[in-house]
Amino acid sequence: MQKSIWVLLLTKLLFLQIIYFGVQEIEQRKDVVVPEKKAQVAVPQQMASSTDFRSETDSSEEAAVPLEELTFTINPSAEYYQMNPDYVGWLSVNGTVIDYPVVRGQDNEMYLSNNFYREPDIFGAIFMDYRNIGMGIDRHTIIYGHYTQYGQMFGELDKFLNEDFLKENLEFTFSDGYGQRRYRIFSVHVAPADTSFLDIDFEGNEYTDFLAMLKNLSVFPSDVAVTEENNILTLMTCNDSAENGRLFIHAVEVTE
């Protein structure tokens, strides 16, 4: 009986060791499973109708556009939509390895443990909050990613806790099938996981108060202007400097 107990204990110990070293091996993996980034080709604006083109010499004469001069450029996002219909855009953050496609699931659980191709993966994927619409419509867009020990995914967001780095890399971009948008960081802070930082619906003066709260929480003072007329985007990942901590990076869409 005693021998059986020892065999059982040793078996459990071996099983735990296998799990531990398996996780360690995965965590040390350097590659992230994502599609190759395609060049962001600007899609030409739709040619205006003939009634919009006037001759410089005779404003009453309509200028015809020869058919052979019309061009069509394939939207670079089309291929990603074909790979995964959950694709919503591409996030690029200066000064970091963050240059990844962004997906959006039917909840905020799916892509915690599945990669861009919907395959089980401890790295998960970079994903947008399922409550967001995307396409630059949301007043507050939220994008999540895992913190990793070796910097993959959102592992390098903690670089923004260095004020000099923040000043040198104040802007990042998010591109989708409708164009590329620039964002300028106005607040960086660490806090315990709190859903109050993740609100997306606001009434009355709630949005103005929300923006003021985010700016006041920043670990560094910021002169980046943000008003209720602006849309913002938040990047969030884990951070162990607080119990059940999260790192929040809030940025305002640049419209000028």
Side-chain angles (χ1 to χ4, degrees):
M1 182 68 178
Q2 187 175 9
K3 182 178 180 180
S4 299
I5 293 175
W6 276 107
V7 170
L8 181 60
L9 289 173
L10 288 173
T11 301
K12 288 185 176 180
L13 180 61
L14 178 61
F15 179 69
L16 290 173
Q17 286 181 325
I18 291 173
I19 293 177
Y20 173 78
F21 287 112
V23 171
Q24 289 296 308
E25 182 178 354
I26 294 173
E27 282 288 350
Q28 294 183 41
R29 199 181 77 208
K30 301 300 182 185
D31 62 306
V32 174
V33 181
V34 292
E36 179 183 356
K37 184 178 183 181
K38 305 297 181 181
Q40 295 295 318
V41 181
V43 180
Q45 293 183 348
Q46 185 178 9
M47 298 297 290
S49 65
S50 59
T51 56
D52 294 324
F53 286 88
R54 303 290 182 180
S55 168
E56 292 183 3
T57 57
D58 185 358
S59 59
S60 64
E61 181 181 350
E62 295 180 352
V65 180
L67 184 62
E68 62 271 15
E69 292 184 12
L70 296 176
T71 59
F72 176 75
T73 302
I74 296 177
N75 192 311
S77 295
E79 185 173 345
Y80 302 128
Y81 289 122
Q82 291 177 348
M83 293 179 188
N84 185 347
D86 288 343
Y87 173 79
V88 291
W90 196 286
L91 177 68
S92 300
V93 180
N94 292 336
T96 75
V97 300
I98 300 171
D99 197 23
Y100 299 127
V102 179
V103 288
R104 182 188 58 226
Q106 295 183 350
D107 54 42
N108 285 340
E109 302 296 325
M110 165 69 177
Y111 287 106
L112 284 173
S113 56
N114 290 275
N115 61 30
F116 176 87
Y117 297 100
R118 302 183 181 183
E119 303 164 339
D121 194 323
I122 195 171
F123 283 163
I126 304 301
F127 63 97
M128 182 182 290
D129 195 295
Y130 79 98
R131 299 170 299 166
N132 285 136
I133 298 172
M135 302 179 290
I137 294 175
D138 301 281
R139 181 171 275 189
H140 182 199
T141 300
I142 306 165
I143 297 179
Y144 307 93
H146 279 306
Y147 172 83
T148 59
Q149 182 178 357
Y150 294 96
Q152 306 96 330
M153 308 311 281
F154 274 2
E156 289 194 343
L157 279 185
D158 58 5
K159 287 185 174 182
F160 287 97
L161 291 170
N162 178 292
E163 189 171 11
D164 290 336
F165 180 86
L166 173 61
K167 289 179 179 179
E168 293 173 3
N169 301 276
L170 204 57
E171 293 188 1
F172 60 84
T173 61
F174 182 68
S175 306
D176 59 23
Y178 301 88
Q180 182 183 87
R181 282 178 286 279
R182 289 165 49 219
Y183 291 89
R184 188 172 297 151
I185 298 171
F186 68 90
S187 176
V188 177
H189 66 99
V190 175
D194 189 335
T195 56
S196 66
F197 302 128
L198 305 176
D199 290 340
I200 63 169
D201 295 316
F202 306 92
E203 297 180 358
N205 294 325
E206 289 178 350
Y207 188 54
T208 301
D209 295 340
F210 180 72
L211 296 176
M213 175 186 70
L214 298 183
K215 199 156 189 178
N216 290 335
L217 285 171
S218 183
V219 294
F220 305 118
S222 172
D223 57 3
V224 175
V226 54
T227 72
E228 62 180 7
E229 303 299 324
N230 300 127
N231 292 337
I232 66 169
L233 187 151
T234 292
L235 307 178
M236 195 197 83
T237 191
C238 294
N239 186 280
D240 59 9
S241 62
E243 184 175 355
N244 194 24
R246 300 290 186 271
L247 171 61
F248 298 88
I249 295 177
H250 308 286
V252 58
E253 183 177 352
V254 179
T255 56
E256 73 265 11

